[in-house]
Amino acid sequence: MEGGSTNTGAETLEIQPPNQIFILSGQSNMAGRGGVVKDHHHNRWVWDKIVPPECVPDSSILRLSADLRWEEAREPLHVDIDTGKVCGVGPGMAFANAVKNRLGTDSGVIGLVPCASGGTAIKEWERGSHLYETMVKRTEESRKCGGEIKAVLWYQGESDVLDIHDAESYGTNMDRLIKNLRHDLNLPSLPIIQVAIASGGGYIDKVREAQLGLKLSNVVCVDAKGLPLKPDNLHLTTEAQVQLGRSLAQAYLSNFC
């Protein structure tokens, strides 16, 4: 994939393709629901369009759009990916800005590849499924520009807490997912930064135990427990997403740089 361009209205600017690429995957808290509120007048969900300073756009942070084009990244990152629900602020922009600020000029251009889909259980991410194969396709397409896949950021599991079988098999399914993804991308040491879920009720403790106890090389876990939740007690607030993005960046910088 070659560098694209962005039309500002007055001129067309060439986009330098990313040299560092991060895959954002999982379910709604990765896709982002920060700032999504109910418009009671029109009886619909809307994003409040409040972008924290930690999530502002930067010319050296790009996203891969649904039609596989690099463009300047801005919230909501998953707007054309997780199209079944209204998307808001997720952890991706806060992560990318934190990495860029820490590495400075060494970070070059960061590319984010949104792949998350709200309400999905881990069994829906099995090899051969639409979600899995789309994630692989988007990842493969992203590195045609010559960039390196640096890590997968994974936040999922709230949909696996209601059934005891799903919760107890979560660790095995996650282990298989990581191994399949590494094999299919031909990246046997691909770093995975997963999030231990903060909400969901049911058998959440079993899912968290699996996430925190996963024993694979180059897999680290960031714990979201204690981060502020929206009134639905399921989705992270905008503030929480910023905190999570920073924590994911710290995990990446501490373990893989």
Side-chain angles (χ1 to χ4, degrees), residues 168-238:
E168 289 182 337
S169 60
Y170 190 89
T172 299
N173 289 332
M174 188 64 196
D175 181 284
R176 183 185 304 115
L177 171 63
I178 292 172
K179 290 176 179 176
N180 285 343
L181 188 60
R182 286 173 166 174
H183 177 272
D184 293 345
L185 295 174
N186 195 26
L187 296 171
S189 301
L190 175 65
I192 309 290
I193 307 174
Q194 64 165 343
V195 179
I197 59 175
S199 60
Y203 300 99
I204 183 175
D205 289 341
K206 288 191 176 295
V207 173
R208 282 177 47 79
E209 181 182 359
Q211 292 169 329
L212 292 165
L214 195 61
K215 303 298 182 184
L216 286 175
S217 63
N218 282 358
V219 176
V220 298
C221 190
V222 171
D223 197 347
K225 188 174 184 179
L227 290 177
L229 297 174
K230 296 171 63 177
D232 63 8
N233 288 317
L234 180 63
H235 296 111
L236 299 187
T237 65
T238 296

